[in-house]
Amino acid sequence: QVQLVESGGDLVQAGGSLRLSCAASGSIFRINDMGWYRQAPGKQRELVAVVTNGGSTNYADSVKGRFTISRDDAKNTVYLQMNSLKPEDTAVYFCNAEAIARFTWTPKQYWGQGTQVTVSS
């Protein structure tokens, strides 16, 4: 199957920056869309940003102009550069990928375990 491992979460002051990384590993045939979601305490998980395997991107309105998603297909890795962080960005950030594993040959959604981002005011 496919495993996703996030890193880069931390405690940062408002106005600061963080860069999250998510590396995919396992029996990967192809990765389609890769994205980041977040879930704050007491709230539903929400889409932050997504990048297709063609390089198209889409962002939540709340992060447009502050966050940048990118991917390195040679490393099966997706990044989220977060600038001008606000306290309301505090959440657990989850990596997501639609991938096709070898010997299954059907697209499936995979999730990482999450990484905590805390922005202090």
Side-chain angles (χ1 to χ4, degrees):
Q1 294 298 319
V2 178
Q3 297 81 40
L4 302 179
V5 178
E6 302 106 331
S7 60
D10 206 343
L11 170 64
V12 64
Q13 287 189 333
S17 298
L18 282 176
R19 188 192 195 208
L20 305 183
S21 300
C22 172
S25 62
S27 300
I28 300 169
F29 171 69
R30 186 176 73 229
I31 300 177
N32 296 328
D33 294 357
M34 300 186 82
W36 291 93
Y37 289 71
R38 66 186 181 187
Q39 187 167 18
K43 295 188 177 181
Q44 289 189 332
R45 190 174 297 190
E46 62 175 2
L47 174 68
V48 176
V50 64
V51 57
T52 69
N53 57 4
S56 299
T57 58
N58 192 32
Y59 296 91
D61 287 344
S62 59
V63 306
K64 283 181 181 177
R66 300 189 296 122
F67 290 10
T68 302
I69 190 170
S70 61
R71 62 191 286 171
D72 183 338
D73 289 333
K75 297 180 179 180
N76 289 330
T77 299
V78 62
Y79 305 97
L80 186 67
Q81 178 66 44
M82 305 185 293
N83 299 328
S84 302
L85 282 161
K86 304 175 181 180
E88 50 263 44
D89 294 318
T90 295
V92 178
Y93 284 69
F94 296 90
C95 176
N96 169 266
E98 181 186 89
I100 300 173
R102 290 190 178 93
F103 310 114
T104 64
W105 312 117
T106 56
K108 183 179 177 181
Q109 296 291 329
Y110 294 91
W111 292 91
Q113 80 287 353
T115 185
Q116 178 70 47
V117 172
T118 303
V119 184
S120 63
S121 56

